[in-house]
Amino acid sequence: MTDSDDALLPLDAVRPAASSKDTKGAVVPAPERPVARVAVDSPLPHLDRPFDYLVPAALHETAEPGVRVRVRFAGKLVDGFLLERVDESDHEGRLMPLERVVSPERVLTPEIAGLARAVADRYAGTLTDVLRLAIPPRHAKAEAETPKPDRSTGTEPSGGTDVQDEDAGSVRDGEGAEGAGDAGGVRGGESAWDAYPMGPSFLDALRHGRAPRAVWSALPGALGWARPMAEAVQATLDGGRGAVVVVPDGKDVALADAELARLLGPGRHVALTADLGPAERYRRWLKVLRGQVRAVVGTRAAMFAPVAELGLVAIWDDGDDLHAERLAPYPHAREVLGLRAHRTGAAMLIGGYARTAEATQLIAGRWARPIVAARTTIRGLAPRVRPAGEDAELAKDQAARQARLPSLAWRALRHGLDGGGPVLVQVPRRGYLPALACRHCRTPARCVLPPTRTLLAPPGADASPASGPPSGFSGGGGEAGGPSRGRPGFMGGGDGLGGLRGGHSGASSGLAGGGQEAGGFPGGSSRVSSELADGGQEVLHLAGGPSRSPADPARSGEDERRFSGDPGRPASTDPGRQGYPGADDQDRHGRPEADDQARPGRPGFGDSGRPGAGDPGRAVVGEGAQGVSAALPLELAGAPGASCHGPLALRGGHAAPYCRWCGRVDAAWRCPSCGSPHLRAVVTGARRTAEELGRAFPSVPVRTSGRDGVLATVPGARALVVATPGAEPVAEGGYAAAVLLDGWALLGRADLRAGEEAVRRWMNAAALLRPGAELVVLADAALPAVQALLRWDPVTHAERELADRAELGFPPAVRMATLTGPASAVRQMIDEAHLPADAQVLGPVPVDDEGQERAMIRVRRTGGAALSAALKGASGVRAARKTPDVVRVSVDPLDLI
């Protein structure tokens, strides 16, 4: 046979036979459905799709849809979830096999997988990010010790939901008879939903397996919301279906958990919170997954609870910003539960004392129906609201306009305590005195200490402790220009705590010759005296400030001018410098506080405005906690960056002012504008308020509830309860009176939802009062938010809020997305994204001093899906290019302004 004959033969005829050596070690595929589609744990948006893998025959029994797997992806072993198994793959090449099955537990149910995909598409995110929120980390010990239900016999596991007759609603077996006693009393007697005209029909629909969707306005009068919510859950269980209840925080979880345990009996529900710990939380989550319980209550993570045969999703107080997830793709619990109810055909209940614009939009679109009590019922249970700014009260008390706690509020508290019950005082700001200002010129008090750490170093400068102090600086306790008591080059005394005022560190390095112990305070104690100035503002005096020295010309007697940078010119009296810090740090959750911008440094001062630095062309930088001093040219350091500029505050009545940014104490503070050492309180926090009330009512115990410790309940005995918004404990029998302080702090915030949020927080506190109890709110009665509280009419306020947003083009009337990142990256992403034709781009505008900008994109509600898809595609293109600048995409965020 010639070579030309060989060319005419089929390819298989000339191919050499495969030897056993070639097939040795090859993966044998599974006999059925050998292709597995896996959601790989990858944060890259352009890889947000399932990948096909080969199922080895050894993993055929365990590699079921929903299990955790390990696969090789881009040369690395990564985690993933097996979504489904199919017979063939669309991929034409060779498939990589599954490395192993982490656990045979099917943790990802088909319903949660579909929901996660819908949430990712809704918020322009990835499936992996949503699954990270939906499924808790695996705890092998908890997974092994939790008993699985016996599916072979068809019996329910211990502690599971009892099977009940749909029409009679009675318990079939005696397992839950103890818990069903109270339930039978509710069904046969008075129900909490009887106070609402639509309440009984809502419960009846839940019992018969229908899917009603309602927005519920709860009644005030200390009736509570936990019992009606528990009755809705019980009606759903009576219908043979499961329920998920999402509440803002752990305090609300405790209230709902106790009511569900009383109503349903033990073992028929679980509570999921973050403070349970990984093992206990995973153990309870497995009970839900395995069908041992069918009722779940928890914080926002519970919105993905894998409840089988879901019949009800409920959310309480949907306006609380704790329902918004802080991790990408930043979903909101209300929207996720709404998607889940729509996909599964479950009922939905949105409850609260106030009403949000988003809930009102659902009613306007006829997606949900309102459940509201009659006006006569509301009037009989609502408190008597009295604004402190009424003309009659101002005529009686001329000082009430400036007083923080006018006589009307004092009388309400005294009458409530005389009645023998507890009284509530809501303070919008936490802490003691979180904002201070100069007494004379009203300039906000800011930290003038150098940064605790800097990466800049001047050419040829030695910042080591052995380098000695720079020119114009002296040690903490010596004469001007003399040696320091401690190590040279440090900004303090012999204790080595450079930069700290107080203790035994002496005067700061920027001050020559402190001469006093404990940061210039006599007797070594850091004490602050206080008095009231005009208008009731508190004035603070730094006792025993550092003595002046001729070596410090900025503080000498010949130059008593205000420090404005020019020795011959007085300080500016620009009213813009007298602004107050922001008021957005008022809740109990430790969120960052909003402060006014740091003022730039002034030339001629070594410490960006602090006098006595010596050389006007040098700056001071700190290194670490020890505060190593080094001379740094201003052209390298930059005047604004040479000092901390953080806001000063007080932790207590006998403490020195400290910086809320760097945490250091500045007992020797002097105003850089006028040189005065006297301070005044701009904002009073909850702890200071509790201290003042304790002095005014010496025989009454004072309880505080806030970030440091949230109280769920308090006894009905005589007491003063001071709480921040959202941390108000429930009093046994209700509060006898309440005072809502500093209404301007809530209403004056630069936020689109300022009015709605003020009404929500006020009504949440007012609903804890007894029927007809006196409530004093320190705000102008003409404001719409105060009028809504006066009439107890959150519905009208929400409808007006929705109409205003629709006119201005803000959510929820439209869909809006924000892009935040470097300026060039934001502009490039806007240009490359295939936005809908009717999209409106607003901005970008700067959001900080570091080059970050934000742009807003607005479309109609019907174009929300197209907007999310366009932004996700643009993010995928940037990720595929490996663009270093990150642009954060947020759809319908809460903080638009």
Side-chain angles (χ1 to χ4, degrees), residues 527-554:
R527 298 194 303 111
V528 179
S529 62
S530 63
E531 65 182 27
L532 291 180
D534 297 337
Q537 295 287 345
E538 189 167 13
V539 180
L540 310 173
H541 305 277
L542 301 182
S547 60
R548 294 177 179 175
S549 171
D552 191 351

Side-chain angles (χ1 to χ4, degrees), residues 575-759:
R577 293 175 50 195
Q578 302 177 13
Y580 295 141
D584 200 20
D585 62 332
Q586 58 267 26
D587 52 42
R588 74 284 189 194
H589 307 290
R591 286 185 285 267
E593 301 181 358
D595 300 296
D596 48 340
Q597 297 294 327
R599 292 179 287 110
R602 301 177 178 85
F605 295 93
D607 200 355
S608 182
R610 181 141 189 163
D615 187 0
R618 315 293 284 181
V620 177
V621 294
E623 173 61 31
Q626 299 296 328
V628 180
S629 301
L632 184 62
L634 288 178
E635 59 267 15
L636 289 181
S643 295
C644 171
H645 293 299
L648 296 184
L650 283 180
R651 291 192 177 96
H654 299 279
Y658 78 101
C659 176
R660 281 165 41 200
W661 287 2
C662 66
R664 292 176 294 178
V665 178
D666 193 1
W669 180 88
R670 279 181 176 271
C671 178
S673 297
C674 66
S676 172
H678 304 299
L679 292 169
R680 62 183 284 124
V682 176
V683 177
T684 304
R687 286 195 291 113
R688 174 67 178 181
T689 304
E691 182 179 292
E692 294 173 351
L693 292 175
R695 297 196 201 104
F697 301 95
S699 61
V700 180
V702 179
R703 302 175 183 269
T704 59
S705 180
R707 190 188 66 168
D708 298 334
V710 178
L711 302 176
T713 59
V714 292
R718 190 167 176 260
L720 273 164
V721 180
V722 181
T724 52
E728 303 92 346
V730 177
E732 183 180 354
Y735 289 100
V739 175
L740 308 178
L741 292 179
D742 302 338
W744 59 267
L746 294 178
L747 296 172
R749 297 186 309 155
D751 190 357
L752 175 66
R753 307 171 188 271
E756 178 183 282
E757 184 70 4
V759 172

Side-chain angles (χ1 to χ4, degrees), residues 478-574:
E479 298 290 338
S484 171
R485 290 190 301 155
R487 290 176 288 177
F490 279 76
M491 302 194 315
D495 59 356
L497 296 176
L500 296 179
R501 273 61 175 172
H504 298 282
S505 60
S508 66
S509 300
L511 300 175
Q516 299 281 357
E517 293 290 337
F521 286 164
S525 63
S526 301
R527 298 194 303 111
V528 179
S529 62
S530 63
E531 65 182 27
L532 291 180
D534 297 337
Q537 295 287 345
E538 189 167 13
V539 180
L540 310 173
H541 305 277
L542 301 182
S547 60
R548 294 177 179 175
S549 171
D552 191 351
R555 297 188 180 182
S556 63
E558 64 180 8
D559 195 5
E560 282 290 342
R561 306 178 184 91
R562 296 180 179 181
F563 301 130
S564 62
D566 185 356
R569 179 172 53 89
S572 172
T573 58
D574 182 29

Side-chain angles (χ1 to χ4, degrees), residues 355-361 747 751-759 784-785 788 793-813 897:
R355 181 183 289 183
T356 61
E358 286 78 8
T360 307
Q361 177 68 35
L747 296 172
D751 190 357
L752 175 66
R753 307 171 188 271
E756 178 183 282
E757 184 70 4
V759 172
D793 189 11
V795 176
T796 302
H797 184 271
E799 291 174 349
R800 182 181 301 175
E801 184 79 14
L802 178 61
D804 292 342
R805 294 190 195 178
E807 182 180 356
L808 298 175
F810 284 111
I897 298 178

Side-chain angles (χ1 to χ4, degrees), residues 107 158 239 528 709:
V107 294
S158 175
V528 179

Side-chain angles (χ1 to χ4, degrees), residues 3 25 104 114 148 185 250 303 307 319 371 401 408 503 506 520 542 615 734 817 830:
D3 294 340
K148 296 183 179 181
M303 59 187 173
V307 176
I371 297 181
R401 193 180 299 274
L408 175 64
L542 301 182
D615 187 0
I830 294 175

